[in-house]
Amino acid sequence: MVDYHASNSQASSGGPAVYMDPREQENDWDRDLLLDPAWEKQQRKTFTAWCNSHLRKAGTQIENIEEDFRDGLKLMLLLEVISGERLPKPERGKMRVHKINNVNKALDYIASKGVKLVSIGAEEIVDGNAKMTLGMIWTIILRFAIQDISVEETSAKEGLLLWCQRKTAPYKNVNVQNFHISWKDGLAFNALIHRHRPELIDYDKLRKDDPLTNLNNAFEVAEKYLDIPKMMDAEDIVNTARPDEKAIMTYVSSFYHAFSGAQKAETAANRICKVLAVNQENEHLMEDYEKLASDLLDWIRRTIPWLENRAPEKTMAEMQQKLEDFRGYRRVHKPPKVQEKCQLEINFNTLQTKLRLSNRPAFMPSEGRMVSDINGAWHNLEGAEKGYEEWMLNEIRRLERLDHLAEKFRQKATIHESWTDGKEAMLTQKDYETASLSEVRALLRKHEAFESDLAAHQDRVEQIAAIAQELNELDYYDSPSVNARCQKICEQWDALGSLTQSRRESLERTEKQLESIDELYLEYAKRAAPFNNWMEGAMEDLQDMFIVHNIEEIQGLITAHEQFKSTLPEANKEREAIQAIQAEVQKIAQYNGIKLSGGNPYTTITPKTIDNKWDKVEQLVPQRDQALQEELAKQQSNDHLRRKFATQANIVGPWIQTKMEEIGRISIEMNGTLEDQLVNLREYEQSIIEYKPNIDQLEGDHQLIQEALIFDNKYTAYTMEHLRVGWEQLLTTIARTINEIENQILTRDAKGISQEQLHEYRTSFNHFDKDHSGGLMAEEFKACLISLGYDVENNKTGDAEFARIMGIVDPNNSGVVTFQAFIDFMSRETTDTDTADQVIASFKILAADKNFIMAEELRRELPPDQAEYCIARMAPYSGPDAKPGALDYMSFSTALYGESDL
């Protein structure tokens, strides 16, 4: 490891550390470690411009040199651009430890290039230490822009100075002796430009006593015509007693690199055209894949939030409309996306096959667009679908339950309110104050009957409150009105209780003074009240709403109703007995000449009331019979729908499973030529597609089941969701199998493999694929290679050869070798392809044996589209013999074959 915290005089002073070659130790380079403010300003501007001149090649720049390198990301990018090499992958976290780790990676790379770093630590860079940051950038400039400059075996600094002296020697008023004072009047910069590009500057018009004009002229010409960014301000140089040496050297080195070398190129490029054509086609396929993947992912991302929306509706109709919208999505919107997903995988496999056949690196989609990412997003979509449908069905059940409870609440509340109507007035009257003894006794008995009636109604009030509570718990949308009505009933009930108690006390005080009773009236009242309550309860039950979901439940209600009807004869006997009591009262009164005043003093229940209610019960019984029978017919119809769906589902489900197994066997046991296999598979695919009406029929049956609000089916284990997924998997599997054969044909035709060889490869592969999984584990693959004559036995040589082969067929270390990877390897072993070295040699001919090539040379020697293709992708050449506009054809050629990155 490089010691970034080595202790020396520079560390103690806090000044910027620099890279120093032992041959070029010079005291004046380090004499002022604490930067003069003017120098620091010059260094900031110069170093920032120098960094941006390289960073712009990567499409970015910096604004503040000590702030923008703190996270290490742009620092690592700068080193990659100027070196043409890849650094370790940076960490993308925002924490301090991530920033320190990134800066340390950059410092490690600098040290790996033979640079001795002194006092520069990652923590200081991350903390924005300006002097440390400037020192680090100066170290980078020395190593990558100045170190390799040498004239007549001089050191880097001396070589650059000697080059400047030679180039400016013929010019008057120019005497370059150093990298500070010698450049203040600006003539040296203009002389350098004029020496190489005389058409850009009229040197004779420049005056030594006008340094600002001279400097600004040189800076503007260099920026406009030589692509050398402005790195310093003329005013800063003029107004500084001694300009900063590091800033001047950095800027002058840009002129050196801009002017060093310019030769013309010669021709040659047949192989390049061929290689570029392959790459252009592949890139077009990659762009198509990226767009299709992006569109599909965007659709999934837009659809999932809709499927995850659990905003409930208030009514059944609104929720059923949601369910209908979901069915429309399933029928109309999703099927095309299933096809797109399948086509995407086919395009991806075809592209990878073409890349392998042209000896190109495998295509890696942009982040988040891998086939696995698509499958993952699709899995999330299907999970959201399942959850959304289950939620809607549960919500429909809930709303159905709520509607039932709300109607039940209203019915019971109406009955109760009807019963309580006028009771408060009755309980507050003072009729007992002027009544006779018998009348008072009658009033007391009547009150007792009322209390009995009141107690009997307590259950109804509790039921009303319980229903209201359940509606609240189930989040009924109209709960406020329900609660208000329930509260009013409860308050009224409490008031009735208090009034009842008060009236009883008044009657009992009066009773002490009266001693008479009418036994028959009392017996009538006592028997009439419970019988009347029974009839009211029977009428309420006969009119009670019900909800069932299967035949068993409705049959249970029918059985209970039949049991109720069996009690009616006994109830009628009780009615006749009660009416007989009233008849006996009339008989006794008539016999004894008693004049009855009004009705029964103990009850308001008259014989006519009893008869009327009995008639109502007898009317309600057949109505209840009819309602139960209608519901029975409905449930029988629902059961028919269940059986119809189950019958078809129990055929389609096993059929899909059988076809999946058949495809698995076909992919392993393929016979005949690849073209024969392809024809057979497409015929097989057509036979599967022709089965689609059966799936459509099931969808129709399933829709009828959902519209009937049927939520279970005991006649089958298959759900429509399972069958849809199975059908989609079946279509996708046969399409993948066909695509595999198409790719094998591509491989065979491109590599010149015979049908016999392919048959041999398939036979060997299948022999060792014991579990018919379509892939070989490492040991199975080794056995397969041995059977084909490869020396990969367990010894040092064999292990190394096997490791090499595994690196080719399983680059991701998944532990499984697919048949496509296997035949790609076998075809690569037996056929010849173009190589990176061959392409480099062709470019070298075009470039007249130079290590770089110019854009005009490419445009002259290649077809226009291929020339522009190269120019757009070639990195600027940064070797010692570089010149403006020079392009690096070597790294471009190796990148075509995946041997390095541009």
Side-chain angles (χ1 to χ4, degrees):
M1 288 293 292
V2 176
D3 182 8
Y4 298 125
H5 308 280
S7 176
N8 58 18
S9 60
Q10 286 185 333
S12 63
S13 69
V18 299
Y19 167 77
M20 298 295 291
D21 188 288
R23 298 172 299 169
E24 44 189 26
Q25 297 273 354
E26 291 188 20
N27 293 332
D28 64 329
W29 283 33
D30 303 324
R31 59 176 176 67
D32 285 322
L33 297 172
L34 292 173
L35 290 176
D36 178 86
W39 287 6
E40 182 175 351
K41 179 181 179 183
Q42 291 178 11
Q43 284 191 14
R44 280 176 182 274
K45 180 170 181 62
T46 303
F47 290 1
T48 299
W50 183 86
C51 291
N52 284 336
S53 71
H54 293 286
L55 286 173
R56 69 182 179 183
K57 301 168 187 174
T60 186
Q61 64 178 17
I62 61 170
E63 300 292 340
N64 187 315
I65 199 164
E66 67 262 34
E67 287 295 324
D68 293 351
F69 286 136
R70 289 179 63 182
D71 61 4
L73 296 176
K74 288 189 177 179
L75 178 58
M76 296 178 71
L77 181 60
L78 173 65
L79 290 171
E80 288 189 343
V81 172
I82 63 179
S83 68
E85 297 179 4
R86 267 300 178 97
L87 271 66
K89 186 176 182 181
E91 298 180 11
R92 294 293 177 180
K94 301 296 184 182
M95 297 175 64
R96 177 178 173 82
V97 65
H98 299 134
K99 298 177 180 179
I100 290 175
N101 289 342
N102 286 338
V103 175
N104 270 329
K105 290 177 181 179
L107 295 177
D108 284 340
Y109 178 77
I110 297 171
S112 73
K113 297 302 179 181
V115 178
K116 181 180 180 182
L117 293 161
V118 180
S119 299
I120 297 179
E123 291 81 3
E124 288 83 2
I125 305 302
V126 172
D127 290 337
N129 186 311
K131 292 181 174 60
M132 285 293 182
T133 303
L134 291 171
M136 176 189 66
I137 298 303
W138 174 240
T139 300
I140 293 171
I141 293 171
L142 276 175
R143 171 60 184 84
F144 294 99
I146 300 176
Q147 178 180 320
D148 293 333
I149 298 175
S150 177
V151 179
E152 295 183 357
E153 300 182 352
T154 60
S155 67
K157 178 184 176 184
E158 292 169 343
L160 184 59
L161 187 62
L162 180 57
W163 179 80
C164 294
Q165 289 170 341
R166 289 181 173 177
K167 295 299 181 182
T168 60
Y171 293 86
K172 63 181 180 179
N173 297 325
V174 177
N175 184 16
V176 177
Q177 298 299 322
N178 51 51
F179 287 108
H180 37 82
I181 302 297
S182 298
W183 303 84
K184 281 193 66 173
D185 60 10
L187 291 176
F189 290 113
N190 283 278
L192 275 181
I193 297 173
H194 187 269
R195 180 65 182 271
H196 294 91
R197 296 288 299 277
E199 76 277 10
L200 299 179
I201 289 179
D202 190 350
Y203 186 84
D204 294 332
K205 289 186 178 182
L206 301 176
R207 303 197 329 266
K208 187 173 181 63
D209 61 352
D210 191 4
L212 279 176
T213 299
N214 298 339
L215 289 166
N216 282 324
N217 181 67
F219 295 168
E220 290 169 4
V221 169
E223 187 173 45
K224 183 175 181 180
Y225 297 102
L226 304 180
D227 200 29
I228 298 175
K230 185 178 180 182
M231 298 185 184
M232 296 179 290
D233 288 325
E235 291 80 3
D236 293 340
I237 296 176
V238 172
N239 297 329
T240 304
R242 176 180 168 176
D244 179 65
E245 184 177 59
K246 299 178 179 62
I248 298 291
M249 283 186 66
T250 300
Y251 190 44
V252 171
S253 70
S254 297
F255 284 86
Y256 175 87
H257 290 298
F259 292 133
S260 62
Q263 300 181 33
K264 295 182 179 179
E266 297 184 4
T267 67
N270 287 336
R271 182 177 291 272
I272 293 174
C273 291
K274 174 186 174 184
V275 171
L276 294 180
V278 170
N279 266 62
Q280 287 172 303
E281 179 186 359
N282 290 341
E283 285 185 2
H284 178 69
L285 292 175
M286 294 174 192
E287 291 170 359
D288 288 347
Y289 172 90
E290 289 282 345
K291 183 179 186 308
L292 187 56
S294 296
D295 292 346
L296 186 57
L297 284 171
D298 288 343
W299 178 82
I300 292 173
R301 293 190 186 104
R302 292 195 308 272
T303 303
I304 286 180
W306 174 67
L307 294 172
E308 291 177 343
N309 180 17
R310 298 294 186 269
E313 301 294 345
K314 293 181 179 180
T315 66
M316 280 278 288
E318 291 171 328
M319 279 308 299
Q320 286 173 333
Q321 182 58 49
K322 274 194 178 227
L323 185 61
E324 183 59 33
D325 293 342
F326 179 70
R327 293 192 190 107
Y329 154 81
R330 276 270 181 76
R331 292 192 304 266
V332 178
H333 299 291
K334 186 185 177 187
K337 299 302 177 184
V338 173
Q339 294 298 320
E340 288 180 18
K341 176 176 175 290
C342 179
Q343 189 61 46
L344 189 73
E345 294 183 16
I346 291 173
N347 291 354
F348 181 85
N349 293 333
T350 301
L351 174 58
Q352 298 293 38
T353 299
K354 289 186 175 182
L355 289 171
R356 286 190 294 268
L357 295 177
S358 59
N359 200 22
R360 301 301 191 272
F363 168 54
M364 284 296 293
S366 55
E367 185 174 358
R369 294 184 176 87
M370 293 287 291
V371 172
S372 59
D373 296 323
I374 306 296
N375 288 333
W378 193 265
H379 177 74
N380 294 337
L381 175 73
E382 293 183 332
E385 284 181 11
K386 186 175 185 298
Y388 187 59
E389 187 174 31
E390 290 175 353
W391 171 77
M392 284 192 293
L393 295 177
N394 289 333
E395 198 62 13
I396 287 173
R397 292 191 187 101
R398 184 182 73 84
L399 290 173
E400 183 184 41
R401 171 68 175 161
L402 281 175
D403 288 347
H404 171 72
L405 287 173
E407 183 59 28
K408 193 169 186 177
F409 173 87
R410 287 190 287 270
Q411 186 183 76
K412 288 186 178 294
T414 299
I415 293 172
H416 177 75
E417 289 165 346
S418 175
W419 178 83
T420 59
D421 184 42
K423 294 296 188 293
E424 289 186 14
M426 181 196 76
L427 291 171
T428 56
Q429 63 184 338
K430 305 293 185 178
D431 53 344
Y432 53 84
E433 293 179 349
T434 58
S436 64
L437 177 64
S438 61
E439 289 172 338
V440 170
R441 185 67 67 84
L443 288 174
L444 183 61
R445 296 300 175 263
K446 180 179 179 181
H447 189 72
E448 289 175 349
F450 173 78
E451 285 181 325
S452 175
D453 200 9
L454 186 71
H457 278 267
Q458 176 70 31
D459 287 339
R460 180 175 288 113
V461 174
E462 291 175 354
Q463 289 176 12
I464 290 171
I467 293 172
Q469 178 64 27
E470 188 171 359
L471 286 170
N472 278 293
E473 292 173 352
L474 293 176
D475 197 24
Y476 181 53
Y477 79 94
D478 199 23
S479 289
S481 64
V482 170
N483 293 336
R485 191 173 183 182
C486 181
Q487 181 68 24
K488 182 178 178 181
I489 289 172
C490 291
E491 290 174 354
Q492 185 186 41
W493 185 254
D494 292 338
L496 286 177
S498 299
L499 292 173
T500 300
Q501 180 64 26
S502 176
R503 182 171 176 81
R504 165 175 273 283
E505 291 171 358
S506 298
L507 289 172
E508 286 178 346
R509 284 195 303 269
T510 305
E511 186 190 27
K512 293 178 182 179
Q513 304 170 7
L514 303 172
E515 297 292 338
S516 183
I517 189 169
D518 187 337
E519 291 292 338
L520 289 174
Y521 272 153
L522 182 60
E523 182 181 359
Y524 175 92
K526 287 183 177 180
R527 295 181 68 172
F531 185 71
N532 182 66
N533 286 334
W534 175 84
M535 286 192 296
E536 287 182 344
M539 287 188 292
E540 183 176 348
D541 289 342
L542 288 169
Q543 298 176 82
D544 194 18
M545 297 176 65
F546 57 84
I547 179 171
V548 295
H549 296 98
N550 53 53
I551 291 177
E552 290 76 11
E553 291 177 358
I554 188 60
Q555 287 176 339
L557 290 178
I558 292 173
T559 300
H561 183 61
E562 293 299 324
Q563 291 173 350
F564 167 77
K565 290 196 295 185
S566 68
T567 65
L568 290 178
E570 192 65 29
N572 190 42
K573 290 179 181 179
E574 176 66 7
R575 181 185 66 82
E576 292 172 347
I578 292 171
Q579 298 293 49
I581 293 173
Q582 181 64 22
E584 185 66 18
V585 169
Q586 296 293 338
K587 180 179 178 181
I588 293 174
Q590 187 177 11
Y591 180 78
N592 294 290
I594 298 173
K595 185 177 180 181
L596 298 175
S597 58
N600 192 323
Y602 303 114
T603 181
T604 59
I605 303 172
T606 66
K608 184 177 180 181
T609 299
I610 292 175
D611 286 342
N612 288 342
K613 290 186 177 180
W614 178 257
D615 292 341
K616 181 65 174 176
V617 169
E618 289 186 320
Q619 292 172 10
L620 290 174
V621 167
Q623 293 176 11
R624 184 74 168 183
D625 283 330
Q626 181 180 355
L628 292 173
Q629 289 302 318
E630 288 174 354
E631 184 61 30
L632 176 62
K634 175 184 173 183
Q635 291 303 323
Q636 287 172 337
S637 173
N638 288 353
D639 205 54
H640 172 72
L641 291 177
R642 289 189 184 96
R643 292 177 184 273
K644 182 180 179 183
F645 176 84
T647 300
Q648 184 68 3
N650 290 336
I651 295 172
V652 172
W655 183 87
I656 291 175
Q657 182 62 35
T658 300
K659 293 301 178 183
M660 287 292 290
E661 293 171 357
E662 288 178 0
I663 293 172
R665 288 196 300 272
I666 289 171
S667 64
I668 294 173
E669 301 171 357
M670 290 182 173
N671 298 312
T673 66
L674 291 177
E675 285 75 11
D676 292 340
Q677 296 171 21
L678 190 60
V679 170
N680 292 337
L681 280 172
R682 284 175 174 160
E683 290 175 353
Y684 193 80
E685 180 185 39
Q686 185 58 37
S687 70
I688 291 176
I689 293 173
E690 290 172 355
Y691 196 75
K692 181 67 163 54
N694 295 286
I695 305 298
D696 295 337
Q697 178 186 340
L698 268 181
E699 288 284 6
D701 293 343
H702 179 63
Q703 180 171 345
L704 293 176
I705 283 177
Q706 287 194 326
E707 290 172 351
L709 301 180
I710 300 172
F711 303 112
D712 58 352
N713 195 336
K714 65 182 180 181
Y715 302 114
T716 181
Y718 294 101
T719 67
M720 197 63 232
E721 177 65 25
H722 293 152
L723 295 174
R724 286 193 200 103
V725 172
W727 175 253
E728 291 170 1
Q729 289 178 345
L730 179 62
L731 293 177
T732 300
T733 301
I734 185 63
R736 285 175 180 163
T737 305
I738 290 172
N739 181 244
E740 179 184 344
I741 298 301
E742 291 172 340
N743 286 338
Q744 289 180 30
I745 292 173
L746 281 173
T747 302
R748 181 198 65 191
D749 295 343
K751 299 299 184 179
I753 301 174
S754 68
Q755 186 67 40
E756 291 73 19
Q757 285 178 303
L758 275 177
H759 180 71
E760 180 185 0
Y761 297 157
R762 170 57 80 179
T763 301
S764 299
F765 189 90
N766 289 347
H767 176 77
F768 292 99
D769 183 15
K770 303 297 184 183
D771 57 357
H772 306 301
S773 64
L776 299 182
M777 304 301 288
E779 288 304 315
E780 293 173 333
F781 181 58
K782 177 182 281 189
C784 181
L785 289 175
I786 293 172
S787 73
L788 294 171
Y790 279 80
D791 184 11
V792 289
E793 294 288 354
N794 291 327
N795 53 58
K796 185 175 182 180
T797 302
D799 290 344
E801 174 64 6
F802 185 65
R804 177 189 75 83
I805 295 173
M806 284 299 292
I808 297 171
V809 298
D810 184 22
N812 297 323
N813 296 320
S814 65
V816 178
V817 180
T818 65
F819 180 68
Q820 187 62 47
F822 171 61
I823 62 172
D824 284 346
F825 166 73
M826 294 304 297
S827 63
R828 197 163 98 175
E829 292 286 295
T830 58
T831 59
D832 183 30
T833 59
D834 56 84
T835 66
D837 289 341
Q838 292 171 333
V839 176
I840 289 173
S842 297
F843 271 117
K844 201 170 186 69
I845 293 172
L846 288 180
D849 211 35
K850 298 191 305 294
N851 291 325
F852 59 86
I853 192 164
M854 306 300 293
E856 57 266 25
E857 293 173 330
L858 289 169
R859 291 190 176 103
R860 185 176 65 243
E861 305 299 340
L862 295 178
D865 61 328
Q866 294 188 339
E868 297 306 322
Y869 178 86
C870 292
I871 293 168
R873 288 160 177 76
M874 284 187 181
Y877 178 70
S878 58
D881 54 342
K883 62 180 293 185
L887 301 174
D888 187 350
Y889 63 77
M890 292 187 184
S891 60
F892 171 77
S893 300
T894 54
L896 290 177
Y897 294 86
E899 298 177 19
S900 67
D901 290 326
L902 283 176

